[in-house]
Amino acid sequence: MNSTIDKKLAELGVSEAAGLAPLFAEVRARFDADAAVATDEFAWKAFRDAWLGRKNGVLARITDNWLKPAAPELKRAVGAALNELRAHVEARIEGRRLAIESGAGSATAARDAVDLSLPGVTRPIGSRHLLRQVFQEIEDIFVSIGFSVVEGPEIETPYYNFEALNIPEHHPVRDDMDTFYLELPNGAATPLLLRTHTSPVQIRTMEKHEPPVRVIVPGKVYRRDNPDATHSFAFHQIEGLAVDTDITFCDFTGTIDYFVKQFFGASVKTRFRPSYFPFTEPSVEFDVSCPFCGGSGTAASGGTCSKCKGAGWIELFGAGMVDPAVYGFVNYDATKVSGFAFGIGIDRLAMLKYGIDDIQVFFQNDVRFLRQFP
Ligand code: PHE
């Protein structure tokens, strides 16, 4: 910058007053451009010294090189232009100082400062996953009739997952309940597995509590399964268990019927068919009359109802009266107590109720799916 001025000065020769105006305008434009760069205290000081420094500042050099040697007839004009430039430079430099001090007008300060006029950051509010919502809905229904909610471990021993549920080592139902085994160091006392159902929590609950027991157990369960539209190696169940001294089959079916009507609507009917589970006797499979075609098997459009495939009934879940053999594992007196248990598949129920045709969408967490269930 100074060399430019020196050159200009040499060119000028300060011989003509008419040459002064464009020359000072150029110096001033340069000053204005420099001023914009002085955005913090450090840059401001260097800027101030460059322009106002007593020895080598631009204004000092203009005084020495332009004003002092100016011809007598030009001195006045050079002096006036210099004073005008000085006033501008001093005012602007002071202005920058104030701006930097107050934090305004400087790019650095603006970056760090809070600008209250900016729009806020919108954080989208999420919602509970549909499966969680269905869990909650079912829990509410059972809690309202005196059940409490308990949970148990997803990593289980074969004892809780199988043996204590009356499923001895080579029992054929173990084939349907193959699962994932945890790799343990050689010589570990018991193998560990991912539970195949929430039923082990029946055992854990009865071990800890004397009858009466009325619990539901929401949770995640695992099986060795190949994923497709209706299978997943991880899925969800709610176990139910009620044991007391005088629980009858009627209490059992009445409770289930109440739950199903609460969940699907008062107009549905329930029925049960004989089934088999090693830990219930008798065992049943509960069906609900198809909530979508009113049990007629015919869709509103006239064709076959796609939900129940024309059957008018939809299979819901397995259940039964607790097998007395199970009481033997938890030191309950099988001659004094009785009860019932059920295991509801949550994914299936949610798919049914909300018309979802692929279980995998529960696990993909595609927001376009999730947003449909706010
Ligand atoms: N645990 C069984 C299953 O996962 C379901 C069930 C639970 C059946 C309780 C009867 C009683 O298939």
Coordinates of all heavy atoms in Angstrom, one line a residue, residues 177 196-199 202 223 235 237 239-240 277 279-280 283-284 317-320 340-344, ligand 1:
M177 N -38.6 -74.7 18.4 CA -38.1 -73.6 19.1 C -36.6 -73.6 19.1 O -36.0 -73.2 20.1 CB -38.6 -73.7 20.6 CG -40.1 -73.4 20.8 SD -40.4 -72.9 22.4 CE -42.1 -72.6 22.4
T196 N -36.9 -68.3 23.6 CA -37.7 -68.5 22.4 C -39.1 -68.1 22.6 O -40.0 -68.0 21.7 CB -37.8 -70.0 22.0 OG1 -38.2 -70.7 23.1 CG2 -36.4 -70.5 21.7
H197 N -39.4 -67.8 23.9 CA -40.8 -67.3 24.3 C -40.7 -66.6 25.6 O -39.6 -66.6 26.3 CB -41.8 -68.4 24.3 CG -41.4 -69.6 25.1 ND1 -42.2 -70.7 25.2 CD2 -40.2 -69.9 25.7 CE1 -41.6 -71.7 26.0 NE2 -40.4 -71.2 26.3
T198 N -41.7 -65.9 26.0 CA -41.7 -65.2 27.3 C -42.1 -66.1 28.4 O -42.0 -65.7 29.6 CB -42.6 -63.9 27.3 OG1 -43.8 -64.3 26.6 CG2 -42.0 -62.8 26.5
S199 N -42.4 -67.4 28.1 CA -42.8 -68.3 29.1 C -41.8 -68.5 30.3 O -42.3 -68.8 31.4 CB -43.2 -69.7 28.5 OG -44.3 -69.5 27.6
Q202 N -42.8 -67.0 33.4 CA -43.7 -67.7 34.3 C -43.0 -68.3 35.5 O -43.4 -68.2 36.6 CB -44.4 -68.8 33.5 CG -45.5 -68.4 32.5 CD -46.2 -69.7 32.0 OE1 -46.4 -70.6 32.8 NE2 -46.6 -69.7 30.7
R223 N -36.1 -66.8 17.6 CA -36.0 -68.2 17.1 C -35.2 -68.3 15.9 O -35.0 -67.3 15.2 CB -37.5 -68.7 16.8 CG -38.2 -69.0 18.1 CD -39.6 -69.5 17.9 NE -40.4 -69.3 19.1 CZ -41.6 -69.6 19.3 NH1 -42.3 -70.3 18.3 NH2 -42.3 -69.4 20.4
F235 N -38.9 -61.4 17.5 CA -40.3 -60.9 17.5 C -40.7 -60.7 19.0 O -39.9 -60.7 19.9 CB -41.2 -61.8 16.7 CG -41.2 -63.3 17.2 CD1 -42.3 -63.8 17.9 CD2 -40.2 -64.1 16.9 CE1 -42.4 -65.1 18.3 CE2 -40.2 -65.5 17.3 CZ -41.3 -65.9 18.0
Q237 N -43.6 -60.9 22.3 CA -44.8 -61.6 22.9 C -45.2 -60.9 24.2 O -44.4 -60.1 24.8 CB -44.4 -63.0 23.3 CG -44.1 -64.0 22.1 CD -43.9 -65.4 22.6 OE1 -43.4 -65.6 23.7 NE2 -44.2 -66.3 21.7
E239 N -46.7 -62.5 27.6 CA -47.1 -63.7 28.3 C -48.1 -63.3 29.3 O -48.1 -62.2 29.9 CB -45.8 -64.3 29.0 CG -46.0 -65.6 29.6 CD -45.8 -66.7 28.6 OE1 -45.4 -66.4 27.4 OE2 -46.0 -67.9 28.9
G240 N -49.0 -64.2 29.7 CA -49.9 -64.0 30.8 C -49.9 -65.2 31.7 O -49.8 -66.3 31.2
F277 N -49.3 -77.6 24.2 CA -48.1 -77.0 24.7 C -47.7 -77.9 25.9 O -48.5 -78.3 26.7 CB -48.3 -75.6 25.2 CG -48.8 -74.7 24.1 CD1 -50.1 -74.4 23.9 CD2 -47.9 -74.2 23.1 CE1 -50.5 -73.5 22.9 CE2 -48.3 -73.4 22.1 CZ -49.6 -73.0 22.0
F279 N -46.4 -77.2 28.6 CA -46.6 -76.5 30.0 C -48.0 -76.1 30.3 O -48.3 -75.5 31.3 CB -45.7 -75.3 30.1 CG -45.5 -74.5 28.8 CD1 -46.4 -73.4 28.6 CD2 -44.6 -74.9 27.8 CE1 -46.3 -72.7 27.4 CE2 -44.5 -74.2 26.6 CZ -45.3 -73.1 26.4
T280 N -49.0 -76.5 29.4 CA -50.4 -76.3 29.7 C -51.2 -77.5 29.4 O -50.8 -78.3 28.5 CB -51.0 -75.1 28.8 OG1 -50.6 -75.3 27.5 CG2 -50.5 -73.7 29.4
S283 N -54.5 -77.5 26.6 CA -54.0 -76.4 25.8 C -55.0 -76.0 24.7 O -55.7 -76.9 24.2 CB -52.7 -76.8 25.1 OG -51.7 -77.1 26.1
V284 N -55.0 -74.8 24.4 CA -56.0 -74.3 23.4 C -55.3 -73.3 22.5 O -54.3 -72.7 22.8 CB -57.2 -73.7 24.0 CG1 -57.9 -74.6 24.9 CG2 -56.9 -72.4 24.7
F317 N -53.8 -66.8 19.3 CA -52.6 -67.2 20.1 C -52.9 -68.4 20.9 O -54.0 -68.9 21.1 CB -52.2 -66.0 21.0 CG -53.3 -65.5 21.9 CD1 -53.6 -66.1 23.1 CD2 -54.0 -64.4 21.6 CE1 -54.6 -65.6 24.0 CE2 -55.0 -63.9 22.4 CZ -55.3 -64.5 23.6
G318 N -51.8 -69.0 21.5 CA -51.9 -70.2 22.3 C -52.1 -69.9 23.7 O -51.6 -68.9 24.2
A319 N -52.7 -70.8 24.4 CA -52.9 -70.6 25.8 C -53.3 -72.0 26.5 O -53.4 -73.0 25.8 CB -54.1 -69.6 26.0
G320 N -53.6 -72.0 27.7 CA -54.1 -73.2 28.4 C -54.1 -73.1 29.9 O -53.6 -72.1 30.5
F340 N -54.1 -70.3 34.7 CA -54.0 -70.3 33.2 C -52.8 -69.5 32.7 O -52.4 -68.6 33.5 CB -55.3 -69.9 32.5 CG -55.8 -68.5 32.9 CD1 -55.3 -67.4 32.2 CD2 -56.7 -68.3 33.9 CE1 -55.7 -66.1 32.4 CE2 -57.1 -67.0 34.2 CZ -56.7 -65.9 33.5
A341 N -52.4 -69.7 31.5 CA -51.3 -69.0 30.9 C -51.7 -68.8 29.4 O -52.4 -69.5 28.8 CB -50.0 -69.7 31.0
F342 N -51.1 -67.7 28.9 CA -51.3 -67.5 27.4 C -50.1 -66.7 26.9 O -49.3 -66.1 27.7 CB -52.6 -66.6 27.1 CG -52.6 -65.3 27.9 CD1 -52.1 -64.2 27.5 CD2 -53.3 -65.3 29.2 CE1 -52.2 -63.0 28.2 CE2 -53.4 -64.1 29.9 CZ -52.8 -63.0 29.4
G343 N -49.8 -66.9 25.6 CA -48.7 -66.2 25.0 C -49.1 -65.5 23.7 O -49.4 -66.2 22.7
I344 N -49.2 -64.2 23.7 CA -49.7 -63.4 22.6 C -48.6 -62.9 21.7 O -47.7 -62.3 22.2 CB -50.5 -62.2 23.1 CG1 -51.6 -62.7 24.1 CG2 -51.2 -61.5 21.9 CD1 -52.3 -61.5 24.7
Ligands
PHE1 N1 -44.9 -70.0 24.8 C1 -45.8 -70.4 23.8 C2 -45.2 -70.1 22.4 O1 -44.4 -69.2 22.3 C3 -47.2 -69.7 23.9 C4 -47.9 -70.1 25.1 C5 -47.8 -69.4 26.3 C6 -48.8 -71.2 25.2 C7 -48.4 -69.7 27.5 C8 -49.5 -71.5 26.3 C9 -49.3 -70.7 27.4 O2 -45.6 -70.7 21.5

